[in-house]
Amino acid sequence: MHPAIPFFAAAALLPVIPKNARSFLSIFAPAFGLAIITGLPEGSTVFHTLPGFTLELLRVDQLSRLFAIVFCLVGVFGMLYASHLKDAGERSASLALMGGSIGVVFS
């Protein structure tokens, strides 16, 4: 599983779940992404071939793993700090941005 998937899933679900579960989900997504990152073996790759070119969706090396771990830790602490927010839009946008940054790190 790509480590960015929990971020995008949480960003999509956050506006439609009950308000009392939003804080849990917004903190759980970066923590789950961190667990996925630590479980990825170094050197693993995921490719998708389209007519004319090949997309590399995931490539794990030491530097990408380090940056992804830092992004996930910042995400956990950022969502913990933002847990008092009532508006789901800001947290949802933040989770989507974190998912995009994890996707860029591993591409």
Side-chain angles (χ1 to χ4, degrees), residues 53-88:
F53 57 94
T54 302
L55 296 175
E56 186 175 18
L57 301 176
L58 178 72
R59 181 187 63 219
V60 181
D61 57 10
Q62 289 180 350
L63 186 61
S64 63
R65 183 188 306 267
L66 175 68
F67 273 95
I69 288 172
V70 168
F71 283 155
C72 283
L73 289 175
V74 168
V76 168
F77 292 124
M79 289 294 115
L80 187 63
Y81 181 74
S83 64
H84 71 282
L85 295 175
K86 302 296 181 209
D87 183 29

Side-chain angles (χ1 to χ4, degrees), residues 10-96:
L13 289 175
L14 207 62
V16 296
I17 62 171
K19 291 183 180 184
N20 57 359
R22 289 180 184 166
S23 293
F24 172 75
L25 182 63
S26 64
I27 295 170
F28 178 75
F32 186 58
L34 182 62
I36 293 172
I37 290 166
T38 56
L40 287 174
E42 189 171 330
S44 60
T45 59
V46 174
F47 291 99
H48 184 71
T49 304
L50 295 173
F53 57 94
T54 302
L55 296 175
E56 186 175 18
L57 301 176
L58 178 72
R59 181 187 63 219
V60 181
D61 57 10
Q62 289 180 350
L63 186 61
S64 63
R65 183 188 306 267
L66 175 68
F67 273 95
I69 288 172
V70 168
F71 283 155
C72 283
L73 289 175
V74 168
V76 168
F77 292 124
M79 289 294 115
L80 187 63
Y81 181 74
S83 64
H84 71 282
L85 295 175
K86 302 296 181 209
D87 183 29
E90 294 174 12
R91 283 193 275 182
S92 181
S94 298
L95 286 168

